[in-house]
Amino acid sequence: MAIKTSPAPLPPYARVKQYLKRELARGRWTPGTLMPSEAELVQRFSVSRMTVNRALRELQSEGLVDRVQGSGTYAAQLHGVSSRLTIRDLHEEIGARGHEHRAVVHLKQAERATAELAHQLGMAEGAKVFHTRIVHLDNGVPLQCEDRYVNPACAPGYLGVDFEQTTPTNYLRTVAPTWEAHYAIEASPPTAEEARLLGIRRDEACLVIVRRTESRGVGITLARLVHPGSRYLIEGHFKP
Amino acid sequence: MAIKTSPAPLPPYARVKQYLKRELARGRWTPGTLMPSEAELVQRFSVSRMTVNRALRELQSEGLVDRVQGSGTYAAQLHGVSSRLTIRDLHEEIGARGHEHRAVVHLKQAERATAELAHQLGMAEGAKVFHTRIVHLDNGVPLQCEDRYVNPACAPGYLGVDFEQTTPTNYLRTVAPTWEAHYAIEASPPTAEEARLLGIRRDEACLVIVRRTESRGVGITLARLVHPGSRYLIEGHFKP
DNA sequence: AAGTGGTCTAGACCACTGG
DNA sequence: CAGTGGTCTAGACCACTTA
């Protein structure tokens, strides 16, 4: 009996994908070029059309090819480095590093929404909003100042939560399980208050993430996350 | 003959997906919970197993469910806001806004690699590297200072390119069609030189992207892209 | 009209998990 | 062992593009 040394004899659809990826990487089809049709690949690999179709559909969802019904499959333009960016819950992020996370609540109250804020959350001006300001510490070092406004309609119990035990992100996740988010990443100086809470100079560059989440068109929360530039960065990796 | 008013009667696999997404959003299956098996869905929707399978496979690739062979399909933990982050070629980015892009080359020469640089690019210390420093203007306003080192082995003709006509990113794309990249986004002050070239104060916060790209383990290029915080931000959107 | 992709089906075999 | 997902097939019908 033969000994199986091959660890995993790639399934057919994966072999087709691999072939196409390799040839794309070699520049065999420059961006915009017509690539082999499903029928051609069916013949070349002696597999069924569904198998080829799966390979091509996956390449499309990975952004490597464009498919046009009635026309053909084309090598995609490489728009740039595109990768999965994950903005994780800071508590998990710190935990993943094996550090201790601690949160200090500096503000927790109900307020009246300003015109700008009301617009962002899709509420009426002057309506009640919840406001928290929390500093997150990584092994005792301030890593993030989290200024957050929450729509009371979505999380009536928000002010009653102990945010030294759980994070707002975590809590809101249980209230509104799935949402849509818009975010911006920018570099800017901290406000005087933020500088004080983070223990940094007012002219230290900060990495600021502003994130607005909504569910079914209703604004849930608007958060401003300020990180000292000297202590925080976002890393990522891209593989075609 | 009946008049077709429905614009697009969602195909079966999409209806299954839609159903599962909606119920997930409603919290019907909390993270980690066992979800209906393929067989159950086949019955409920009166479709073939391949159709249900496709729906579930796509939900998996979107990170909404975890599937374990032999066990079942489980509602995924929401790891955080995860979205496609694209760092585009600045030339395209400016063009997409309908603005005029101009590049000024401040430095273009061969140098000897320092130990650190050699390590980053996987070369020998003291080996020859190409170095360019280019400022990109958006309608005349400095938007990015691009400091770039290139491995001559990957792009021998690099120094001969006219970077007022094409961008390094664009050129390197033609030389090494597909690559792997590692990047970091951080906030930091500009160097004195960068502040001068960008026409900003030394204490202005800058959004800095450091990106290293390689192909098959060989370092191609290391770039430091410095943007005035007051003029640039990265935006993104996340939809489950 | 010919060629392309978009989708579905009914049945099949396999590998893995769990009791 | 029964149940689950992983994958493949052969054929089918449709909508769309191109000429």
Side-chain angles (χ1 to χ4, degrees):
Chain A
M1 192 198 276
I3 298 175
K4 252 194 174 174
T5 34
S6 48
L10 233 45
Y13 86 91
R15 296 204 312 112
V16 176
K17 265 183 82 168
Q18 189 188 47
Y19 163 77
L20 292 169
K21 273 195 177 187
R22 189 156 33 81
E23 295 299 304
L24 274 168
R26 290 179 48 194
R28 167 146 172 192
W29 304 290
T30 56
T33 310
L34 185 60
M35 293 172 59
S37 70
E38 297 192 350
E40 284 178 76
L41 293 168
V42 162
Q43 291 222 352
R44 171 191 291 266
F45 288 91
S46 304
V47 295
S48 79
R49 199 187 138 209
M50 274 299 276
T51 301
V52 163
N53 183 270
R54 172 169 175 185
L56 287 170
R57 246 189 310 111
E58 293 191 1
L59 288 178
Q60 182 177 38
S61 87
E62 290 170 28
L64 292 179
V65 307
D66 290 327
R67 314 193 72 199
V68 183
Q69 183 173 147
S71 177
T73 300
Y74 302 85
Q77 314 290 340
L78 280 188
H79 303 296
V81 183
S82 171
S83 80
R84 208 87 194 158
L85 168 70
T86 302
I87 301 177
R88 284 172 300 182
D89 185 31
L90 199 65
H91 178 70
E92 293 170 15
E93 200 166 334
I94 291 172
R97 277 195 290 248
H99 291 186
E100 178 228 8
H101 170 243
R102 199 154 57 80
V104 180
V105 179
H106 288 275
L107 189 153
K108 179 154 97 169
Q109 64 187 28
E111 297 177 3
R112 300 270 154 216
T114 63
E116 167 61 14
L117 181 57
H119 175 254
Q120 292 271 352
L121 289 179
M123 316 169 50
E125 184 175 345
K128 192 176 69 171
V129 289
F130 296 148
H131 183 190
T132 52
R133 185 176 294 137
I134 301 170
V135 172
H136 298 275
L137 311 172
D138 176 338
N139 274 357
V141 179
L143 200 59
Q144 179 187 93
C145 177
E146 173 191 15
D147 221 311
R148 184 183 292 271
Y149 294 91
V150 173
N151 184 343
C154 299
Y158 184 72
L159 291 186
V161 179
D162 179 0
F163 291 123
E164 319 222 325
Q165 295 307 315
T166 185
T167 62
T169 302
N170 222 349
Y171 173 71
L172 290 172
R173 206 179 268 173
T174 66
V175 180
T178 304
W179 19 257
E180 203 170 324
H182 191 88
Y183 62 85
I185 303 171
E186 59 182 58
S188 75
T191 64
E193 174 76 359
E194 287 160 353
R196 190 175 64 78
L197 294 177
L198 291 169
I200 57 177
R201 296 207 323 278
R202 280 216 58 183
D203 62 357
E204 169 156 357
C206 285
L207 192 66
V208 179
I209 300 172
V210 177
R211 187 166 67 198
R212 186 170 57 80
T213 72
E214 58 182 48
S215 186
R216 297 181 272 286
V218 181
I220 300 175
T221 178
L222 180 69
R224 172 181 159 91
L225 313 173
V226 181
H227 313 78
S230 55
R231 300 176 198 156
Y232 190 82
L233 53 75
I234 297 173
E235 278 186 307
H237 191 258
F238 167 75
K239 206 168 181 170
Chain B
M1 191 196 279
I3 298 176
K4 252 194 172 173
T5 34
S6 47
L10 231 47
Y13 86 91
R15 296 204 313 110
V16 176
K17 264 182 84 169
Q18 191 187 46
Y19 163 77
L20 293 169
K21 272 195 177 186
R22 189 156 33 82
E23 295 299 303
L24 274 168
R26 290 179 47 195
R28 168 145 172 193
W29 305 291
T30 56
T33 310
L34 184 60
M35 291 172 58
S37 70
E38 297 193 351
E40 284 178 75
L41 294 168
V42 162
Q43 291 221 351
R44 170 191 291 266
F45 288 91
S46 303
V47 294
S48 80
R49 199 187 137 209
M50 273 300 275
T51 300
V52 162
N53 183 270
R54 173 170 174 186
L56 288 169
R57 245 190 307 112
E58 293 191 1
L59 288 178
Q60 182 176 40
S61 86
E62 291 170 30
L64 292 179
V65 306
D66 289 328
R67 314 192 72 199
V68 184
Q69 182 173 151
S71 177
T73 300
Y74 302 85
Q77 315 290 339
L78 279 189
H79 305 296
V81 183
S82 172
S83 79
R84 206 96 195 150
L85 168 72
T86 303
I87 301 177
R88 284 173 300 182
D89 184 30
L90 199 64
H91 178 70
E92 294 170 16
E93 200 166 332
I94 291 174
R97 275 194 293 245
H99 292 185
E100 178 229 9
H101 171 243
R102 200 155 57 81
V104 180
V105 179
H106 289 275
L107 190 153
K108 180 153 98 169
Q109 64 188 26
E111 298 177 3
R112 298 270 155 217
T114 63
E116 167 62 14
L117 181 57
H119 174 255
Q120 292 271 351
L121 289 178
M123 316 169 52
E125 185 175 343
K128 191 177 68 169
V129 289
F130 297 148
H131 183 190
T132 52
R133 184 176 295 138
I134 300 170
V135 172
H136 298 274
L137 311 173
D138 176 337
N139 274 356
V141 179
L143 200 59
Q144 179 187 92
C145 178
E146 174 191 16
D147 222 312
R148 184 182 291 273
Y149 294 91
V150 173
N151 184 343
C154 299
Y158 184 73
L159 291 186
V161 178
D162 178 0
F163 291 122
E164 320 222 324
Q165 296 307 313
T166 186
T167 62
T169 302
N170 221 349
Y171 173 70
L172 290 171
R173 207 178 268 173
T174 67
V175 179
T178 305
W179 19 255
E180 200 170 325
H182 192 88
Y183 62 83
I185 302 171
E186 59 182 59
S188 76
T191 64
E193 173 77 357
E194 286 159 354
R196 190 174 65 75
L197 294 177
L198 290 169
I200 58 177
R201 296 208 322 278
R202 280 217 57 183
D203 61 358
E204 170 156 356
C206 284
L207 192 66
V208 180
I209 300 172
V210 177
R211 187 166 66 198
R212 186 169 57 80
T213 72
E214 58 181 49
S215 187
R216 298 180 270 286
V218 182
I220 300 174
T221 178
L222 181 68
R224 172 181 159 91
L225 312 173
V226 181
H227 313 79
S230 54
R231 300 175 198 158
Y232 190 82
L233 53 74
I234 298 173
E235 278 185 307
H237 191 258
F238 166 76
K239 205 168 179 169

